[in-house]
Amino acid sequence: MNQYWEKIKKAGLKLTPRRKAIVDIFIKLNRYASAEDVWEILSKKFKRCGLPGVYRNLESLVDCGVLAKVEKFDNKKYYALCLAGSSHHHHIVCLNCDKVEDISCYAGESLKKIKGFKVLNHFFQASGICAACARGGKA
Amino acid sequence: MNQYWEKIKKAGLKLTPRRKAIVDIFIKLNRYASAEDVWEILSKKFKRCGLPGVYRNLESLVDCGVLAKVEKFDNKKYYALCLAGSSHHHHIVCLNCDKVEDISCYAGESLKKIKGFKVLNHFFQASGICAACARGGKA
DNA sequence: ATTCTAAATGGAAATAATTTCTATTTAGAG
DNA sequence: CTCTAAATAGAAATTATTTCCATTTAGAAT
Ligand SMILES: [Mn+2]
Ligand SMILES: [Mn+2]
Ligand SMILES: [Zn+2]
Ligand SMILES: [Zn+2]
């Protein structure tokens, strides 16, 4: 019973073979992926396997904190494993290998009020080149 | 020749009736809007008016710095007038009236390197309630 | 003012991502 | 082992956006 399975159970969701397999895929990938990416890999393991089911599962895994949404600003949805859990934090994405890491939120009191706005939410995401890729780890 | 028209000219784009009208729409709206929102309003002024043309224009107006993209994280594209021009900055959006204002970027040197990543880009967007809405300015 | 050409345009159709619907299966509580 | 709500597949629908192509036009050059 790994940490991800526990999150799934704790949220009152069933620990189905699909969900286990999807978590597994993300652990092995070690990068963000789209619903279709996941579906392609999942299809090798399960001959009958619907894309709508993948979408549903990705959303439920976000809801229970196993996955985080990653933005590529291309009007597609992307997901990555989220280690940091449910405490507020952000993500940095490698432009070369698509790896995602948690980063803490820098916004403090200064972000309560800006330009007369009462600030309620914010989204931050950084991108760049990870240490491994900088070293030439993977082209 | 207002500041927006000048940006359009300066970018080597033609100052067409469509573009003038789209800029006008955003000035009057004073909030972010989708391509379809803009198209609906534009259709009242021009009987023949294609949605693909609106998409094309919105993108070219972003390219020349007249508009900024706004994220609602719903896999649709939204745009708003950008006063601050081309210098790096971010936006805050009112959850009640959809107004958008420029905000400066807080990220400094600390954002050059995070978690071993060489940081190349970042996206920030805040949302909340604007002063006017807080005052009950508009339900 | 007239001509000219690259840029802009409308509209139909294509594409792409995501969601809805419905019938069937199944995890896991009892 | 039984039972039921949750999960599922697959087809079809929906939605946003883009592509394509024939026509028009802004604005530079005459
Ligand atoms: Mn995370
Ligand atoms: Mn702006
Ligand atoms: Zn990398
Ligand atoms: Zn407001």
Side-chain angles (χ1 to χ4, degrees):
Chain A
M1 180 74 81
N2 70 40
Q3 60 177 310
Y4 305 111
W5 297 13
E6 278 180 18
K7 282 186 186 176
I8 292 169
K9 299 288 285 183
K10 200 161 291 179
L13 299 171
K14 291 184 180 176
L15 191 53
T16 66
R18 280 292 148 29
R19 288 194 175 127
K20 289 181 191 171
I22 290 174
V23 169
D24 229 50
I25 285 168
F26 276 99
I27 292 173
K28 286 187 184 121
L29 273 184
N30 193 32
R31 55 180 179 81
Y32 67 80
S34 69
E36 193 165 2
D37 293 336
V38 171
W39 175 68
E40 266 173 37
I41 300 169
L42 203 60
S43 298
K44 289 172 189 157
K45 201 176 175 85
F46 302 88
K47 52 278 137 211
R48 319 185 91 245
C49 182
L51 195 43
V54 173
Y55 274 100
R56 275 188 307 258
N57 272 320
L58 291 174
E59 280 307 307
S60 63
L61 290 172
V62 169
D63 291 344
C64 73
V66 169
L67 300 180
K69 294 194 183 200
V70 171
E71 278 295 326
K72 273 190 78 176
F73 305 103
D74 65 349
N75 287 44
K76 280 181 65 173
K77 293 181 173 173
Y78 296 92
Y79 304 85
L81 260 197
C82 186
L83 285 304
S86 45
S87 71
H88 176 73
H89 66 282
H90 303 295
H91 298 97
I92 183 163
V93 178
C94 179
L95 296 167
N96 185 242
C97 71
D98 297 349
K99 181 164 54 191
V100 178
E101 292 206 29
D102 297 312
I103 55 183
S104 60
C105 179
Y106 296 95
E109 282 303 309
S110 62
L111 207 58
K112 287 279 174 61
K113 198 100 183 168
I114 308 177
K115 288 260 188 170
F117 281 65
K118 177 189 174 71
V119 181
L120 298 175
N121 297 294
H122 67 271
F123 175 87
F124 177 88
Q125 191 183 284
S127 57
I129 302 296
C130 77
C133 286
R135 252 185 271 115
K138 168 195 177 254
Chain B
M1 180 75 81
N2 69 40
Q3 61 177 308
Y4 304 111
W5 296 13
E6 277 180 19
K7 281 185 186 176
I8 292 170
K9 299 287 286 183
K10 201 161 290 178
L13 299 172
K14 291 184 182 176
L15 191 52
T16 66
R18 280 302 134 72
R19 288 195 176 126
K20 289 181 190 171
I22 290 174
V23 169
D24 230 51
I25 285 168
F26 277 99
I27 291 173
K28 286 188 183 119
L29 272 183
N30 194 31
R31 55 181 179 77
Y32 67 80
S34 68
E36 193 165 1
D37 294 336
V38 171
W39 175 68
E40 267 173 36
I41 300 170
L42 203 60
S43 298
K44 290 172 190 159
K45 201 175 175 84
F46 302 88
K47 53 276 138 215
R48 319 183 92 247
C49 181
L51 196 43
V54 173
Y55 275 100
R56 275 187 308 253
N57 272 319
L58 292 173
E59 279 307 308
S60 62
L61 291 171
V62 168
D63 291 345
C64 72
V66 169
L67 300 180
K69 295 195 184 200
V70 171
E71 278 295 327
K72 275 190 75 176
F73 306 104
D74 65 349
N75 287 44
K76 278 181 68 173
K77 293 181 173 173
Y78 296 92
Y79 303 85
L81 261 197
C82 187
L83 285 304
S86 46
S87 72
H88 177 72
H89 66 281
H90 303 297
H91 298 97
I92 183 162
V93 178
C94 180
L95 295 167
N96 185 241
C97 71
D98 298 349
K99 182 163 54 193
V100 177
E101 292 205 28
D102 297 313
I103 56 182
S104 61
C105 178
Y106 296 96
E109 282 304 309
S110 62
L111 206 59
K112 287 280 174 60
K113 199 101 183 168
I114 307 177
K115 289 261 188 169
F117 282 65
K118 176 191 175 69
V119 181
L120 298 176
N121 297 294
H122 68 272
F123 175 86
F124 178 88
Q125 191 184 284
S127 57
I129 302 297
C130 77
C133 286
R135 255 185 270 115
K138 167 191 176 259

